[in-house]
Amino acid sequence: MAQQQRGAQQQIPTPDAVGDMYDQFSELCLEMFAGCIHFGYFQVPPPASSYTDESIEAATDRMTSLVADQLALPTTTTTTTNTTTTTTGGGGPRILDVGCGTGKPARQVASLTGAHVVGISISQRQIELAAAPQQQQQQQPQQSSSIGGKGNGGGSRSGVITAAPVREEVSFQYADAMKDLPFPAGSFAGAYAIESLFHMGDKGAALAQVSRALRPGGRLVVADFFVDPAVGDDDLAPEHVAAFCHLTQSSGLNTVDEWRGLVEGAGFRVVEVRDIRRNVRRNYRVMAETLRQKALYAPEVAKGGLEAGAAVMENVSGSNKIGYLLLTAERV
C-alpha cells in the first residue's frame, strides 16, 4: 500500500528513532494529555468555544473507553446475593495493547473489561513509566534522562517489566510489532493500537503479527490518523502535512481505503470505520498551547524546536486534511 507523503520526500523513521523520541518526550506528552500519550475524544464538535467545560483528561479517558467498547469482550460476572457484579481481576481474556504508552489505557481497559492486558512498546522509558505504579512501594523505578535528553532511559532496549504479583491485570514488555511478536499464535482474545501504527514503516507486517497473535473472531481496534485525498491542498499544504509527519515520527499517512486494505490483507474483516476527526481536533490546540508555554521558559537551544512544533500543530488544528479514524475489525 502506498503511503501518502504529501510533500517533500520523507524519511521513514526506524523503530529505534521512534523509541528514542518517546524515551525523551514521554513525560511532556503525559503533561499534555493528563497521563496518556494519545488524543482525547471530545463530545462536542467545533466550534472551539463549545469545548470550554471539557477537560483533556475526560477526553483521553473517553477515547480509551471507546476503544474498550469496540473490543466487544464478553462480560465475566460473579453472582452474589441479589447482585451481579463484573469481575475485574486477572482471570479474564488476554488483550494485546500495541504501543502501550504509559500504561494508563491498559489499566483502564483492564478495569472496564475484566481482561488481562499485555502492553508492548519500543520505548524502554515508556515500559518503566507503565510498570512503575504497579511495583511495590519500596521499589524505586530506574532513573533515566530528563525530557529532551538523549538516551534510552538508562536501560537496554530489551527485557520485560511486569505488574506486581498482587494484581495481574496488566503487564508490559519491550517488543517491536513489525518483527516476530514474542507470543504464541492465537494467544489473545483481542488487540488495540492507539496512535502507534502510524509510526511504523511496515504496517502490513505489524498487522500480520497481531493477526497471528489473535485467535479467530478476536477483535482489533485501531485509533489513528489518516489523510483525506478528497480535501484539497488549499486546506492544508503538502509541506504542512509533511511537517506533521516529521514532528510525530510518522512513516507517512494512509487514506481510509489504504487502512482498510492493510487490515484486510493481514487476515481481518473490517467491521466498522468511524471518522472522528471533528472530535479530536481540539488536541492539536492542546499540543500547540503546551509547546508554546514550554518555549517561554526553555533554554535557547530548545526554544526554537518547541516553537516550531507549536506552529505545526496550529497549522493542522484548523484543517480537515488530516483525519482520525476508529477502525474495528475481526480476525477471520
Side-chain angles (χ1 to χ4, degrees), residues 39-320:
F39 274 17
Y41 182 100
F42 291 88
Q43 289 182 311
V44 182
S49 59
S50 302
Y51 290 129
T52 53
D53 294 330
E54 195 161 17
S55 71
I56 186 66
E57 182 172 16
T60 53
D61 285 350
R62 186 177 299 111
M63 180 69 81
T64 305
S65 294
L66 284 172
V67 169
D69 288 345
Q70 292 300 105
L71 287 169
L73 296 173
T75 302
T76 301
T77 59
T78 301
T79 303
T80 58
T81 305
N82 299 322
T83 305
T84 301
T85 58
T86 300
T87 301
T88 58
R94 281 165 51 89
I95 300 297
L96 179 63
D97 180 345
V98 183
C100 62
T102 63
K104 182 179 178 183
R107 289 186 175 85
Q108 187 176 344
V109 170
S111 177
L112 290 169
T113 65
H116 175 99
V117 181
V118 179
I120 61 172
S121 175
I122 54 173
S123 165
Q124 188 65 33
R125 179 58 180 153
Q126 287 190 347
I127 298 299
E128 293 169 355
L129 289 168
Q134 296 246 131
Q135 294 171 346
Q136 300 293 345
Q137 289 189 353
Q138 66 269 25
Q139 293 179 327
Q140 296 299 318
Q142 183 176 1
Q143 296 299 312
S144 68
S145 57
S146 60
I147 298 174
K150 194 73 175 174
N152 64 0
S156 64
R157 304 182 71 81
S158 62
V160 179
I161 302 177
T162 58
V166 290
R167 297 191 67 179
E168 296 183 334
E169 69 237 359
V170 294
S171 58
F172 306 97
Q173 67 185 79
Y174 179 93
D176 182 350
M178 291 189 293
K179 300 179 180 179
D180 292 339
L181 287 176
F183 310 112
S187 55
F188 291 95
Y192 61 91
I194 307 177
E195 296 168 32
S196 58
L197 289 169
F198 86 117
H199 292 301
M200 300 182 193
D202 193 345
K203 297 179 181 68
L207 288 165
Q209 281 296 308
V210 174
S211 178
R212 182 190 63 80
L214 291 188
R215 51 180 178 255
R219 282 199 166 190
L220 167 68
V221 183
V222 176
D224 219 319
F225 304 95
F226 70 90
V227 65
D228 190 343
V231 178
D233 290 344
D234 55 341
D235 177 86
L236 187 67
E239 57 266 28
H240 294 316
V241 177
F244 172 81
C245 291
H246 177 74
L247 179 68
T248 59
Q249 291 283 294
S250 167
S251 64
L253 301 182
N254 294 92
T255 67
V256 171
D257 286 343
E258 288 170 346
W259 272 112
R260 283 181 175 273
L262 285 163
V263 170
E264 290 170 350
F268 292 93
R269 177 182 67 86
V270 174
V271 175
E272 180 185 42
V273 180
R274 295 170 57 185
D275 179 352
I276 59 174
R277 77 184 90 181
R278 285 159 57 95
N279 299 90
V280 305
R281 186 171 292 160
R282 184 185 173 190
N283 293 276
Y284 300 113
R285 295 198 305 276
V286 169
M287 293 185 72
E289 290 164 3
T290 303
L291 292 171
R292 291 283 185 203
Q293 186 67 24
K294 290 293 183 184
L296 292 176
Y297 306 100
E300 287 300 320
V301 67
K303 189 182 296 289
L306 291 167
E307 291 177 343
V312 170
M313 291 304 164
E314 287 164 354
N315 287 328
V316 175
S317 68
S319 167
N320 282 313

Side-chain angles (χ1 to χ4, degrees), residues 23-29 31 144-150 294:
D23 285 345
Q24 295 176 58
F25 299 117
S26 284
E27 282 91 345
L28 177 59
C29 294
E31 184 176 342
S144 68
S145 57
S146 60
I147 298 174
K150 194 73 175 174
K294 290 293 183 184

